[in-house]
Amino acid sequence: MLMRRAEPAGGNKPPGARAAWTLAVAAAGYVLHYWTWMLVGPIGPQLAHRYGLDEGTWALLGVVPIVVGVLVRVPAGVLTDRLGARVVLPAVSFAAALAVLALAAVDGLPALVAVACAIGVAGAAIPAGAAAVVRAVPPGRRGTALSVFAAGMCLAAAAGVAARALLRIEREPGLLVLAGVLLGYGLLAAAVVRDGPGPKRQPAAAWSAVTALLRRPVTRHLAVWYGVSCGGLVAVDLYLPAYLHRTYGIDWVPAMLAAAAGMGVGAAAGAFGGWLCRHRAPTAVIGTCFTTLAALLLVLAFDPPLVWVAAPALAGVAVALGTALGSVLALIGRTAPPAQAGTITGVIGAIGSAVGLFPTLLLTAVRYGDGSYATGLILLASAAIVGAGSLRARRGWIGAAVAFPAPTVVASQSATTVVSLAAPQIRAYLGDITAVLAALATRHELAVVYADPAPSGRAGIGLPLVAGLRQHLPKHTILSMVAETPPHPHETAAIAAMIDAGTIPVILVAGADPTPTAMLLAAAVGADQVLHLTHDRIEGVIPVQRVPEAGYAAIDAPR
């Protein structure tokens, strides 16, 4: 029989409408706060003359809010998980509004440095908004929603580049308007966002969660991918106008408008990357993006003709970077537990932003060294080739490891559980499935039966599944073995001994349907239940419970 689904929280408002409103408000906040965050430096260079500074000093001053914005992401994410985005997001908006008002009033370099530090607080809106999106959207749609949220960064960068070309920001009137908009946004966020607070943890426990995240391979993988894709887009934002002007002689205003158009293309590609990851393995999508990026950068390094080669190549770079960024955010949205979404996005965002400075610094150093962008583009292409090759060589293992620990997905507190997995149904969602298995293993004695029609060669992902479980559960012993169908009595006896010893056995069998073998094994070892894990594009991971007396019962994945 089918168990009744839990009614969604959120008052009388339908959950779909609540999720859409939350996503719209969070994405708008991303655009607004990113604009504020970049106000000192890239977006408002004309303000430099209002303070009696040259543009070089103003650009150097712009590094201050960027660094502060990166540093505050981790504490902002932790506070979001403890207090809720409904509290943190308006607080960040109000603080940013006060900083903008101060920018309109101060004079002198020391005061400007202090105000620049305060403006950096606007960067804290990123983990708060991401956490609100993850908590408001159903599991299977979180990845796509978070990629749409991240597209706001590209839109804000595009608007910033266009503003440098077309607008003249006046000190008092323009900054007063921006402060008013920030205050209004804070009130709107307080009225609309309904994500609720995360679990009440002590500060020491919250920071221990941060250190635990730093030790996980998933954090390292996602932070590097986020840094490469986001850093590449930042490099496009900052360097494309100068590249077009110095290489092809284009005037500054058309060059900046072309850069804005490129960032707009990147924003659309980010949303496309999130959608694509619902149909393809995210690691495969990211690897393809890096390969394409390397090829296009090598083409651009040789100064090809602008209209027929360089312009399409630059558009392709924006598409590749945007799609990769959307895919990374989709992975985070799909696998980050809602209660830890703020901490996870804060940690990955901080590390990734530090990594993302590398393309910009490399292009700057090479440009001042030999006066050309060619060497820098070739070096960046080489780095992309190395990254794509590593992803391709270890795609299965990395795919299984790229997920965060998930909450237990089954209400039953059975002592022994046998899980059946079919390769065709989970191949593109291996990280999600691995996280669910790791969560089950923390409360159940567990055995996994994995069926693959092609268990050898590149098609077989049984061993990457084992490797991913070992990375998620470093304190558990996880062993794999190949079994017959049906299992031989000696095999079932060995499996029972493993379970009794606290080991998690992963039994690899040939074929497309693992359920008959799982049922026979459960009867042989006296298991309490059999779960068949599958993945739905909307609902996320869905366990189907096989109980001999009651037939099949669908059990909801966590919200």
Side-chain angles (χ1 to χ4, degrees):
M1 63 180 178
L2 295 177
M3 297 182 66
R4 179 175 297 178
R5 295 179 181 269
E7 293 297 327
N12 297 325
K13 185 179 290 187
R18 182 172 67 91
W21 272 104
T22 302
L23 176 59
V25 171
Y30 198 159
V31 173
L32 180 61
H33 288 92
Y34 184 90
W35 178 284
T36 306
W37 190 26
M38 296 288 132
L39 184 62
V40 178
I43 288 181
Q46 60 268 37
L47 288 174
H49 303 294
R50 308 296 194 273
Y51 296 99
L53 302 176
D54 59 83
E55 293 192 6
T57 304
W58 182 259
L60 186 62
L61 184 64
V63 175
V64 175
I66 293 176
V67 172
V68 173
V70 169
L71 294 177
V72 299
R73 288 189 185 186
V74 175
V78 173
L79 287 175
T80 302
D81 289 340
R82 298 189 67 212
L83 304 176
R86 188 185 183 189
V87 173
V88 176
L89 198 55
V92 171
S93 188
F94 295 152
L98 292 176
V100 172
L101 288 174
L103 183 63
V106 301
D107 284 303
L109 188 58
L112 280 174
V113 172
V115 171
C117 291
I119 284 179
V121 175
I126 297 172
V133 172
V134 169
R135 293 172 189 168
V137 177
R141 296 176 178 172
R142 288 173 185 156
T144 305
L146 206 58
S147 66
V148 173
F149 169 77
M153 184 273 287
C154 298
L155 291 176
V161 177
R164 295 203 300 267
L166 302 177
L167 299 180
R168 303 298 297 178
I169 301 177
E170 297 295 334
R171 176 175 171 178
E172 285 79 9
L175 295 179
L176 290 176
V177 169
L178 178 58
V181 173
L182 286 166
L183 289 172
Y185 175 80
L187 296 174
L188 177 65
V192 172
V193 174
R194 289 291 187 276
D195 68 330
K200 300 296 184 181
R201 294 177 291 180
Q202 296 299 321
W207 287 109
S208 66
V210 172
T211 58
L213 281 172
L214 292 173
R215 291 194 298 266
R216 291 188 175 276
V218 56
T219 306
R220 180 175 65 251
H221 292 310
L222 289 175
V224 171
W225 298 340
Y226 176 89
V228 171
S229 53
C230 186
L233 286 169
V234 170
V236 170
D237 178 24
L238 297 178
Y239 276 92
L240 185 56
Y243 172 81
L244 292 174
H245 176 72
R246 292 167 180 161
T247 305
Y248 296 100
I250 299 176
D251 292 337
W252 279 105
V253 171
M256 286 189 283
L257 293 178
M263 295 303 293
V265 170
F272 171 72
W275 173 86
L276 189 62
C277 287
R278 293 176 62 182
H279 304 270
R280 297 289 185 271
T283 50
V285 174
I286 296 170
T288 301
C289 290
F290 286 175
T291 302
T292 304
L293 177 64
L296 294 174
L297 290 176
L298 287 175
V299 170
L300 292 170
F302 296 97
D303 299 339
L306 175 62
V307 176
W308 300 107
V309 181
L314 289 169
V317 167
V319 170
L321 290 170
T323 304
L325 179 61
S327 301
V328 174
L329 269 295
L331 265 173
I332 297 173
R334 274 170 41 172
T335 63
Q340 289 185 285
T343 303
I344 289 171
T345 53
V347 170
I348 291 177
I351 299 174
S353 297
V355 174
L357 294 175
F358 173 74
T360 302
L361 294 176
L362 177 64
L363 288 175
T364 301
V366 172
R367 170 67 186 172
Y368 281 100
D370 62 7
S372 172
Y373 292 104
T375 304
L377 292 173
I378 292 174
L379 291 175
L380 291 177
S382 301
I385 291 173
V386 171
S390 176
L391 266 169
R392 187 172 185 83
R394 305 180 66 240
R395 184 169 61 190
W397 277 263
I398 292 175
V402 178
F404 297 95
T408 303
V409 298
V410 182
S412 170
Q413 295 297 322
S414 300
T416 304
T417 299
V418 177
V419 177
S420 65
L421 303 173
Q425 295 176 330
I426 69 166
R427 194 179 303 276
Y429 309 98
L430 191 56
D432 307 47
I433 297 293
T434 308
V436 171
L437 290 176
L440 282 170
T442 61
R443 297 189 181 181
H444 297 244
E445 290 183 341
L446 193 65
V448 180
V449 178
Y450 175 81
D452 195 337
S456 61
R458 290 175 56 194
I461 56 175
L463 295 181
L465 173 67
V466 175
L469 282 174
R470 286 173 178 165
Q471 292 186 356
H472 280 289
L473 301 167
K475 296 183 180 180
H476 289 67
T477 301
I478 301 164
L479 298 176
S480 63
M481 61 177 293
V482 178
E484 299 178 359
T485 306
H488 190 275
H490 294 307
E491 294 172 336
T492 57
I495 294 169
M498 292 181 192
I499 295 174
D500 290 340
T503 298
I504 301 174
V506 178
I507 301 98
L508 309 177
V509 298
D513 186 7
T515 304
T517 301
M519 294 296 295
L520 291 171
L521 179 62
V525 301
D528 297 277
Q529 65 177 354
V530 175
L531 296 177
H532 180 72
L533 293 187
T534 185
H535 194 284
D536 182 80
R537 291 175 182 171
I538 303 300
E539 299 295 330
V541 177
I542 298 179
V544 179
Q545 188 179 37
R546 179 69 168 96
V547 182
E549 295 79 13
Y552 285 95
I555 302 175
D556 284 342
R559 291 295 186 268

